[in-house]
Every structure is written in C-alpha cells, then in structure tokens.
C-alpha cells in the first residue's frame, strides 16, 4: 500500500486539532513555517493541506491576514429527482421548503444571445442560433447556495408568454411547467455532475474561497419527441451543499 501523501497527513492533523478544540472557529492558525516546523514538513506541504481544508470549508483564508478556522455552516441538502418539478412552482423552492429554509433567487435574462459551440451541441442547434439566456443566484435563508446559467432556444419559446423564464404570468414556474403552457411536454432530463474548482467569479458570488471545490452539473431537458429544449450549467459549493439523487422506481 502506498504511503499517504504528506499534505494529506498534515490536513488530518489540522482537522484533528480543530476537532479537539485546540483551535476554535474564528481562531487564526499559526504561520505555515511554525506548523511545518512542528510537523516536520516544508511550508509548501502545509500550504497544500490548508488549501484542501479551505476547499472543504474547514478553514478560510483572508487576504493579507492569514488562515482561520471557519465558522461551522450546516450543509444544505439539494435533492435532484425526476419528481422535482411541482405544479405549484419552482423545484428549488420546494426543496428549501422541505428543509424549512427561506428560498429566493436573483436572475438576469438576456434574449437572442448567440449560442456558443458547446451550448449549441447540447441543444442540437447550429452555433450562433439565438437563445434566451438566464443566469441565477439561488439563496437559502439569504445565503448563496447555487448558481445556474440556463439556455433555451428562441425558436422554441419566442413570441410566447413564457419567453422570459422570470417574467410574465408563468415567471419562476420551472422549465417543465412553463414548457407545458406552450404544449411542449418534457419527458426526461439528463444530468452530468463532475467536481472541479470554482472560478474567481463563482467563488465571489457563492461566498467561498477561490478554487474551492464545487459540483458542476450539466443538465438538459428533453421533450417527448427527443428534442432538447433547455440546458443549464449548475454550480453547487461542495462545502455548503450535499447533492442527493432520488430515483423513482416504476412498478
């Protein structure tokens, strides 16, 4: 069996000290040089260990100040399921209601945005075809927990009452419910989750450290005739949210 990398051993040591209340939430950690000397490793090893714990929400780095023990924050449970869309409105609102959290979101919609190559491929349209793009920042009890950028082909919704996802009589109803209003039946969705590091912009919006771990979900909704009618890039901070998939069983 291969030996554990030194930075993982130091991360475990730092985590143990926090668990044993050697350092409390809000405490500033000793310098990397001091920790390295105590643990018999170099400063770069300590830096990698701290970066790992920052990405996990255990520590937080403050520019020009140092590294601190993060205040504990309960992880939000985000359920992904084919049964998420409810007649009464947004699936996110339903999720937060189940957790007894106050839900809200901020959004911005831009109409007739040319589809980038990757989005065009996911929607089965030509690159540059106009789409309605909506960016979201989802909040639970006022704290950001999820980002999303949604794309819908303008050819599907243009000239209808649902062309603006967050405007008109069906604002905020969710993709499945909105599409049903124009006679488009959503049969299924495909999601592709993968871990990666947050970009600087994502970290700023989510209130997490730059390069912290996030789960990036590429989701696409399909109509009953197999046509993609919406695709989205969803970003969830790993330290603050746990993603759970509910899989219905048809008997």
């Amino acid at each position: 069996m291969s030996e554990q990398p030194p930075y993982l051993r130091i991360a475990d040591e730092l985590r143990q000290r926090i668990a044993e209340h050697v350092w409390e939430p809000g405490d500033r950690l000793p310098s990397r040089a001091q920790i390295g000397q105590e643990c018999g490793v170099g400063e770069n090893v300590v830096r990698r260990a701290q970066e790992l714990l920052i990405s996990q929400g255990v520590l937080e780095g403050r520019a020009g100040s140092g590294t601190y023990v993060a205040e504990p924050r309960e992880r939000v449970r985000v359920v992904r399921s084919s049964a998420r869309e409810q007649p009464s409105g947004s699936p996110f609102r339903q999720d937060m209601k189940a957790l007894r959290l106050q839900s809200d979101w901020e959004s911005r919609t831009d109409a007739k945005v040319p589809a980038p190559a990757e989005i065009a491929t996911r929607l089965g349209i030509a690159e540059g075809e106009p789409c309605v793009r909506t960016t979201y920042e989802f909040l639970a009890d006022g704290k950001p927990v999820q980002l999303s950028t949604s794309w819908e082909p303008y050819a599907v919704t243009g000239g209808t009452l649902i062309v603006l996802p967050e405007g008109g009589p069906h604002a905020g109803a969710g993709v499945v419910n909105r599409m049903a209003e124009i006679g488009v039946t959503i049969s299924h969705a495909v999601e592709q989750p993968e871990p990666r590091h947050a970009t600087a912009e994502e970290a700023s919006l989510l209130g997490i450290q730059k390069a912290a771990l996030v789960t990036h979900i590429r989701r696409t909704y399909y109509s009953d005739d197999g046509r993609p009618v919406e695709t989205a890039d969803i970003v969830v901070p790993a330290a603050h949210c746990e993603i759970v998939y509910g899989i219905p069983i048809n008997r």
Side-chain angles (χ1 to χ4, degrees):
M1 180 180 291
S2 59
E3 187 177 347
Q4 185 182 41
Y7 82 95
L8 292 180
R9 176 173 63 82
I10 301 305
D12 287 343
E13 172 67 23
L14 299 181
R15 196 182 286 108
Q16 183 66 25
R17 293 188 188 186
I18 294 170
E20 294 175 351
H21 303 287
V22 175
W23 300 318
E24 299 285 353
D27 285 352
R28 180 181 175 182
L29 270 60
S31 68
R32 290 173 183 165
Q34 182 177 338
I35 294 174
Q37 186 175 17
E38 291 178 7
C39 299
V41 297
E43 290 186 40
N44 283 337
V45 173
V46 178
R47 176 183 56 78
R48 289 192 66 190
Q50 290 182 341
E51 288 176 346
L52 174 63
L53 294 180
I54 287 172
S55 74
Q56 296 173 344
V58 177
L59 300 176
E60 63 178 42
R62 301 178 188 174
S65 180
T67 303
Y68 293 76
V69 180
E71 295 288 342
R73 178 174 171 180
E74 186 177 355
R75 296 178 82 199
V76 174
R77 186 180 178 90
V78 179
V79 180
R80 321 263 335 148
S81 169
S82 62
R84 293 177 75 241
E85 299 278 352
Q86 302 291 331
S88 56
S90 162
F92 176 77
R93 181 166 286 151
Q94 298 295 322
D95 288 347
M96 296 304 101
K97 183 178 180 180
L99 295 171
R100 298 183 180 179
L101 297 175
Q102 182 66 38
S103 63
D104 197 6
W105 59 82
E106 298 176 1
S107 65
R108 173 182 171 178
T109 296
D110 297 293
K112 297 187 178 181
V113 178
E118 182 189 353
I119 298 300
T121 298
R122 284 155 60 175
L123 288 174
I125 60 178
E127 182 178 355
E129 279 197 35
C131 289
V132 177
R133 180 185 64 195
T134 305
T135 57
Y136 294 90
E137 181 179 357
F138 292 94
L139 310 171
D141 281 352
K143 297 178 180 178
V145 294
Q146 180 177 301
L147 304 176
S148 178
T149 302
S150 167
W151 298 79
E152 296 177 354
Y154 189 77
V156 174
T157 63
T160 73
L161 292 175
I162 70 160
V163 65
L164 301 178
E166 297 300 319
H170 306 292
V175 177
V176 173
N177 298 322
R178 288 177 45 252
M179 290 293 173
E181 294 295 330
I182 60 171
V184 176
T185 301
I186 303 294
S187 63
H188 68 287
V190 173
E191 293 195 345
Q192 178 186 351
E194 64 179 12
R196 64 168 172 79
H197 295 288
T199 65
E201 181 181 8
E202 290 167 346
S204 177
L205 290 171
L206 289 168
I208 59 178
Q209 295 296 315
K210 184 179 178 181
L213 287 177
V214 297
T215 301
H216 177 188
I217 303 171
R218 293 178 177 85
R219 180 202 68 204
T220 303
Y221 278 113
Y222 292 83
S223 65
D224 55 4
D225 61 0
R227 177 177 52 161
V229 295
E230 189 266 2
T231 193
D233 290 285
I234 301 164
V235 178
V236 180
H240 298 162
C241 300
E242 60 176 0
I243 299 174
V244 178
Y245 279 84
I247 304 174
I249 305 297
N250 296 322
R251 295 184 180 276

